[in-house]
Amino acid sequence: QPYLDALVNFREEVRTLAFAHKGSDLSKALLDKCDALRDEALVEAGVALEDRPGQSTLWKLSTPEALRKELDERRERAREAAVRKALAKVVKIEKDAAAAEEFLSKTSPYAEGEYGSYDAETGLPKTTKGGEEIAKGALKKAAKKMNNFKKQRENFLKKVPGGDVEAHLAKLKEELEGARTALKELQG
């Protein structure tokens, strides 16, 4: 069927030109038209095209009903993959936002009321809840806890653009809202 070979070759040349100018509006429009030809017009004519990266496109004859079913299944798989990707994005942004909120709310590694008093300069505990002086071993543990806390905060700040955690959190909340909306739209 030479007419199908000619049509497939023409479509392949158009796709090659569009990929050569990828990113342009014309390129997107051409690729959309090539996909519409493959997924709509040719499906109704009983012709299936299989785009193979780095190889020529294959065509085969089938019934329009079978091709529509195949196309619907392919679209559903693509939708499911998009939902998984969108869900992963939401989870990541939620995790990043929770870390930023914790950074802003937690200014000490010690639980409230864990110790009686603290050194104003170092932030290390000076006395127990009962007002007794901290033992050397307990002070050493508290110092280690403080150092780990400071390192975690420094590492977190390195990840924050400009070091402005509040602005970063506001941006994350905005991104989260958009990501959740996109996820809901994909889920239908």
Side-chain angles (χ1 to χ4, degrees), residues 51-66:
D51 293 326
R52 304 180 307 167
Q55 301 178 37
S56 61
T57 301
L58 290 179
W59 62 266
K60 68 178 181 178
L61 298 177
S62 187
T63 65
E65 295 78 25

Side-chain angles (χ1 to χ4, degrees), residues 9-90:
N9 288 338
F10 175 75
R11 179 179 172 274
E12 194 62 35
E13 288 176 17
V14 170
R15 284 172 46 84
T16 300
L17 287 170
F19 281 124
H21 297 89
K22 197 165 183 129
S24 71
D25 290 342
L26 178 60
S27 170
K28 182 174 178 3
L30 289 172
L31 290 171
D32 287 347
K33 290 294 182 186
C34 287
D35 289 347
L37 176 66
R38 179 196 63 211
D39 296 340
E40 296 166 18
L42 290 178
V43 165
E44 294 306 316
V47 178
L49 297 184
E50 182 185 333
D51 293 326
R52 304 180 307 167
Q55 301 178 37
S56 61
T57 301
L58 290 179
W59 62 266
K60 68 178 181 178
L61 298 177
S62 187
T63 65
E65 295 78 25
L67 295 176
R68 277 189 229 109
K69 183 178 178 192
E70 209 175 283
L71 181 61
D72 288 344
E73 289 169 355
R74 196 167 58 238
R75 285 179 175 158
E76 181 58 21
R77 284 191 305 272
R79 188 194 69 76
E80 288 170 357
V83 166
R84 283 191 301 275
K85 184 177 178 181
L87 182 59
K89 183 177 182 176
V90 166

